[in-house]
Amino acid sequence: ELAQQISAAAAKYGKYMRRAKCVSILGGTPYPVQNRLLASPVDILVATPGRLLDHMQRGKVDFSRLEMLV
């Protein structure tokens, strides 16, 4: 899946950036696991549209400090 490839590439390119946190939010992964990943600040969030909308509706994603959306 494309989101998994992007997440793997972000981890590869940022492996020397110790403080950069990359999280992948995809359908098929249980919500409790994703909620734990989203509980602390994230630098790079890779998400499928449907699952991102789900988390936004549940109030689990905060874009107040968003700098870039691709």
Side-chain angles (χ1 to χ4, degrees), residues 20-34:
K21 182 178 176 184
C22 180
V23 170
S24 184
I25 303 298
L26 312 168
T29 305
Y31 281 99
V33 172
Q34 293 177 356

Side-chain angles (χ1 to χ4, degrees), residues 4-15 17 20 22-23 44 46:
Q4 290 172 329
Q5 292 174 2
I6 293 169
S7 185
K12 179 180 176 182
Y13 299 139
K15 72 179 180 180
M17 297 174 62
C22 180
V23 170
I44 301 170
V46 178

Side-chain angles (χ1 to χ4, degrees), residues 30-42:
Y31 281 99
V33 172
Q34 293 177 356
N35 291 338
R36 279 194 301 275
L37 292 171
L38 293 171
S40 60
V42 174

Side-chain angles (χ1 to χ4, degrees), residues 1-2 6 11 16-17 36 39 52 55 63 66:
E1 185 170 299
L2 181 59
I6 293 169
Y16 296 110
M17 297 174 62
R36 279 194 301 275
L52 178 60
H55 282 288
F63 285 138
L66 179 69

